[in-house]
Amino acid sequence: MKFTELNLDDSVLEALDAMNFSECTPIQEKTIPVLLKGCDVIGVAQTGTGKTAAYLLPVINKLCTGNYPKDAVNCLIMSPTRELAQQIDQQMEGFAYFMPVSSVAVYGGNDGVRFEQEKRGLTLGADVIIATPGRLISHIQMGYVDLSKVSFFILDEADRMLDMGFYDDIMQIVKLLPKNRQTLMFSATMPVKIQQLAKNILNNPVEVKIAVSKPAEKIIQTAYICYEPQKMGIIRSLFKNNIESRILIFASSKLKVKDLTNSLKRMHLNVGEMHSDLDQSQRDEIMNEFKAGRVNILVATDIVARGIDIDDIRLVINYDVPHDSEDYVHRIGRTARANNDGCAITLVNEEEQFKFKQIEDFLGKEIYKIPVPSELGESPAYEPKKNSFKGKRPNHRQPSKQKQGNKGNRSNRQHERYSSQRSAQQSSIRK
């Protein structure tokens, strides 16, 4: 369906045309007409499906055609992270380019000047406030925030917000909103806690569901079954040739991000790091450098797993196995965007095998295991049930007589598959 077939104002269509948007994504096609009718909506869709435009376009359309107060907050959008808040704000600016609709992003990690700008937007009245829960609560506690005239309340990536412990903050904010608002909630999954939240804050919502959260089929997914000390050696073997494409590496902690970044810098690679120890200006600078191609490799915690909007990342590496299947989907979903190809590599140590098997079960397929380079020594067998450890911490030292789990006799078909996967990975790194 084309946007021109929807009941959108000419000024909204003009902005879409200027941005070269003509065809709706499935989530937009199903959501926009429902929102224009004034219904509450719960949307189930993963990142990269166009859900931001699915709620921004009808809200902007209503704000520019309806009779809403000029000196009040008319729409409140909640975001789990400052990166996603920034991305929503950027899309807001584009979609509202030809309309007198104002927006202010409210998120932490800024200096006092930025805080004052946020305060002015909240007190003088911005049409749209895009905020992280913690930062908005900080402003509310100062006593000058009035949310009594909010007509649209939107929770983006609600599952992520609950995972981050924002439930109480959200409910505190909800108490300040009028009951006769239109509420929209978007989530990649629908666990019990999300269903309960929806029951508490939505009024007879229409559910819009777009497929099961799974990675794009064109992402080539592979893994190395290895010992923890072998991980850096695998990274070195992958990056021994020239690197021209953008590569995103996820690690489980900011300490690992820092150590990995330093190791890659010693290899004279063009690398940047992204984690919570950086202030907002530093994070903005690194992200701009990565988007512009002046940094080839970005090492990050899950802080950028959702919200990053770069279309030509060719390779995603999970230095550690993600916490759960949804995090895995969101991480590797940073590649193979906008009809590009992409690869995802996960490094799996003994302790992580059980978690990785759960991811495979969620995907409904076995992810191909590439042999660890022979110069790194023997690698463990892939035995996820045996290596569930039942709460015990494994010993990552490499035994002298460990059976090589990824070696042995392979059929010609396995050799061909390995060659194909390895070739695709090296191609993604070099491009």
Side-chain angles (χ1 to χ4, degrees):
M1 177 183 286
K2 294 185 179 295
F3 285 108
T4 52
E5 298 177 59
L6 300 172
N7 189 26
L8 293 171
D9 189 77
D10 288 343
S11 53
V12 178
L13 294 174
E14 188 177 356
L16 288 169
D17 184 62
M19 298 170 72
N20 295 317
F21 287 3
S22 58
E23 295 281 345
C24 300
T25 66
I27 189 70
Q28 293 161 3
E29 181 179 340
K30 292 184 177 182
T31 303
I32 292 175
V34 176
L35 293 180
L36 289 174
K37 290 179 181 178
C39 300
D40 283 8
V41 168
I42 179 164
V44 183
Q46 66 189 82
T47 185
T49 56
K51 60 181 171 61
T52 306
Y55 63 74
L56 281 183
L57 292 174
V59 167
I60 292 171
N61 192 89
K62 287 193 169 190
L63 289 174
C64 70
T65 59
N67 185 23
Y68 295 91
K70 301 295 183 183
D71 58 348
V73 176
N74 292 309
C75 174
L76 177 59
I77 302 173
M78 303 304 302
S79 161
T81 66
R82 65 190 74 177
E83 282 72 25
L84 181 57
Q86 289 174 317
Q87 181 183 322
I88 296 169
D89 190 40
Q90 290 168 2
Q91 292 197 42
M92 179 71 199
E93 289 179 6
F95 293 142
Y97 187 79
F98 297 103
M99 289 152 285
V101 178
S102 61
S103 65
V104 174
V106 176
Y107 50 83
N110 299 302
D111 56 21
V113 174
R114 173 71 192 183
F115 191 90
E116 288 301 315
Q117 292 174 342
E118 296 173 357
K119 179 180 177 180
R120 284 198 297 272
L122 289 164
T123 54
L124 299 178
D127 287 306
V128 179
I129 294 292
I130 304 145
T132 54
R135 183 69 158 202
L136 182 58
I137 290 293
S138 296
H139 282 286
I140 289 172
Q141 290 173 342
M142 301 292 286
Y144 48 73
V145 178
D146 181 7
L147 301 178
S148 64
K149 296 180 182 178
V150 169
S151 295
F152 309 98
F153 180 52
I154 302 167
L155 293 175
D156 198 350
E157 297 196 355
D159 53 342
R160 187 68 169 169
M161 277 191 272
L162 296 194
D163 287 342
M164 295 171 69
F166 287 132
Y167 179 84
D168 290 340
D169 288 345
I170 291 170
M171 296 311 297
Q172 181 180 344
I173 292 166
V174 168
K175 291 177 182 177
L176 303 176
L177 302 174
K179 292 185 177 181
N180 60 339
R181 65 184 185 269
Q182 185 177 7
T183 304
L184 297 61
M185 190 168 82
F186 288 85
S187 179
T189 58
M190 277 294 289
V192 174
K193 58 185 178 180
I194 288 293
Q195 296 175 32
Q196 186 61 46
L197 178 62
K199 184 178 179 181
N200 290 338
I201 69 172
L202 276 75
N203 179 31
N204 193 26
V206 175
E207 183 173 325
V208 178
K209 192 170 184 177
I210 303 298
V212 178
S213 182
K214 295 288 178 70
E217 287 295 327
K218 56 189 174 182
I219 300 176
I220 299 174
Q221 300 177 60
T222 57
Y224 287 90
I225 307 302
C226 58
Y227 295 104
E228 183 66 25
Q230 292 176 317
K231 287 186 176 182
M232 194 59 223
I234 294 171
I235 294 293
R236 290 193 184 96
S237 73
L238 290 171
F239 293 165
K240 61 184 177 183
N241 298 317
N242 291 333
I243 298 171
E244 298 177 5
S245 62
R246 287 190 184 90
I247 298 171
L248 188 55
I249 305 177
F250 287 106
S252 60
S253 69
K254 57 190 176 185
L255 178 60
K256 279 193 176 183
V257 167
K258 294 174 184 178
D259 290 344
L260 184 53
T261 300
N262 290 333
S263 295
L264 294 174
K265 284 181 177 178
R266 287 194 291 270
M267 295 171 62
H268 306 292
L269 295 172
N270 194 3
V271 59
E273 60 188 279
M274 181 77 79
H275 49 76
S276 60
D277 277 356
L278 303 179
D279 62 35
Q280 190 59 42
S281 62
Q282 291 173 311
R283 289 158 74 167
D284 289 343
E285 181 181 0
I286 291 296
M287 189 59 69
N288 289 334
E289 292 291 293
F290 187 53
K291 287 181 178 180
R294 291 185 288 271
V295 166
N296 296 105
I297 304 170
L298 181 63
V299 187
T301 56
D302 280 309
I303 197 168
V304 295
R306 307 190 190 198
I308 188 172
D309 191 23
I310 301 176
D311 288 336
D312 57 350
I313 295 174
R314 304 306 297 269
L315 175 63
V316 172
I317 297 176
N318 294 311
Y319 192 80
D320 304 293
V321 175
H323 177 68
D324 55 35
S325 302
E326 286 302 323
D327 285 339
Y328 177 83
V329 170
H330 286 293
R331 282 188 184 186
I332 74 169
R334 302 307 92 206
T335 189
R337 294 165 69 94
N339 295 317
N340 290 321
D341 295 325
C343 287
I345 302 172
T346 303
L347 309 185
V348 186
N349 68 28
E350 285 183 288
E351 186 179 1
E352 297 169 319
Q353 288 188 18
F354 186 71
K355 269 197 303 186
F356 191 68
K357 181 60 168 64
Q358 290 179 312
I359 291 173
E360 290 184 310
D361 291 343
F362 171 79
L363 299 175
K365 68 177 183 180
E366 180 182 346
I367 294 175
Y368 182 69
K369 317 300 188 302
I370 293 181
V372 171
S374 58
E375 63 270 20
L376 298 179
E378 295 180 339
S379 59
Y382 185 51
E383 300 174 314
K385 290 185 178 179
K386 179 180 178 181
N387 290 309
S388 61
F389 292 107
K390 298 180 180 178
K392 296 181 180 180
R393 191 166 184 82
N395 185 348
H396 289 303
R397 291 178 298 174
Q398 299 178 38
S400 59
K401 294 184 180 181
Q402 170 69 37
K403 181 181 179 181
Q404 180 72 9
N406 285 322
K407 290 186 177 181
N409 296 325
R410 296 188 181 89
S411 65
N412 290 334
R413 183 177 178 183
Q414 287 176 310
H415 275 300
E416 291 170 3
R417 189 181 181 194
Y418 162 69
S419 298
S420 174
Q421 301 278 15
R422 183 71 174 178
S423 176
Q425 288 179 4
Q426 293 298 337
S427 176
S428 289
I429 293 171
R430 291 193 296 270
K431 283 182 180 177

